[in-house]
Amino acid sequence: MIQNKNLLTLQMKNIILYSLLYFLFTGTMVAQQTPAPKQTIDYSIEGATAHIGNGTIIENSLIMFSNGKISFVGSANSRIARIGTIINAKGKHVYPGFIAANTTLGLAEIDAVRATRDYDEVGSMLPHIRSVIAYNTESRIVESMRPNGILLAQITPRGGTISGTSSVVQLDAWNWEDAIVKVDDAIHINWPRNFSRGRWWLGEDSGLKPNKDYAKNCKKINEFFKNAKNYLAKTQKNVNLPYEALKDVFNGNKKVFVHADGQNRITDAINLFDNLGIKNLVIVGGHEAENIASTLKSHNIPVVLKRAHRLPSGEDEDYDRPYRSAKILSDAGILVGLGMNGAMERMNTRNLPFYAGTYAAHGLGTEKAVQLITENNAKILGIDNIMGTLEVGKDATLFISNGDALDMRGNILTEAFIQGRKISLETHQTKLWKRYSKKYNN
């Protein structure tokens, strides 16, 4: 009996040992590739059509960069010595790295597995919650962005009234500290809804009806900011972390991203923060923002639009109104960017350039659509001094594509660089594609 028990114990130990070895081996097999090292080789990209990111293009361009910074942008006909490795990109296109605003990339991996979701904290007023702390650079979803040219992202929390604080990261890093491009760039507020649906499971009418708590919820936001302002005006013995997190909001160093749709809700938000003396505002979502374009323009408030692929929300609204919203706002002089919140947002973020392409096809034009996800997003996120356009002195964060990067048929990257580092374009998806391509080619 004792001998059998010892044998069983030995077998269990072997099972555990072999299981650990298996998971260690397979974990190594599926782990994200090693981030690229610091740039040590200079590069000259010659002959490509350069999409600068500010609405202009240079045919037959020459772009050179060294030590992570762009050192020359101009015509390939320029009589200037090329530096380092010369990349012949004739017939191809070069773009600044695309920037995804308002996304939860790296904050969740599998929606159906609660343990992998880390974008929402318990509580309502949470300006002190920093999303970047939870950002997972090893996410397999994050690595799948790079082959489509998405090289930077604003990592944004969700939930509550004040969700927390976002940060901007580059998408090839060892950890969140290495990934940071701009830390704690903005706080995010989910503006109360002025209409609500009845809870059918409680026997209520499931149709839309005015939200009787709308005014009360708006008042809570106003009181929270007023209390924070009073707190910050005095020397305190006890530290209040949520109020402390608003210090940079009041001094103008941190933006307030208000997630709101509907012209009444957007107008209410603008008026509330204007009365509080907070000017650095951004509207996120922005459905019906074009109806109050003059107000947005006068307050110098940018809009981060959601994806164009959505239905009109009103019975009397043009069927293609969502597709034309970027054009309407841009023509009104509003700074417009493109965000990624919505259904399956992390997986769909890889389609960012194609959403911009939809806006391009509905009146905006190709170069202005490129601008949505390069210079405009960079300006809105406060990183336009180092990212967003192909200009001398800015970070060499760019990529080369075989064709039009806003068209999935042309968005085929050959090289990509983040801060001058030549990054890998391999992902678990490209490996599977190559694997099964061989199967069906046989």
Side-chain angles (χ1 to χ4, degrees), residues 273 310 368 412:
F273 286 106
R310 50 193 166 89
K368 283 195 173 182
I412 302 172

Side-chain angles (χ1 to χ4, degrees), residues 361-391:
H362 286 79
L364 190 62
T366 300
E367 296 312 311
K368 283 195 173 182
V370 169
Q371 212 170 339
L372 292 180
I373 53 177
T374 54
E375 183 182 49
N376 288 7
N377 269 357
K379 285 181 176 179
I380 292 169
L381 303 184
I383 58 170
D384 56 301
N385 61 322
I386 55 171
M387 301 279 189
T389 54
L390 301 175
E391 295 182 77

Side-chain angles (χ1 to χ4, degrees), residues 287 290 307-325 328 358 361-362:
H287 177 65
E290 55 269 33
R307 316 168 204 167
H309 296 184
R310 50 193 166 89
L311 295 173
S313 62
E315 293 181 356
D316 59 348
E317 190 172 287
D318 292 344
Y319 75 94
D320 61 348
R321 182 66 174 267
Y323 297 87
R324 293 188 292 110
S325 55
I328 296 169
T358 299
H362 286 79

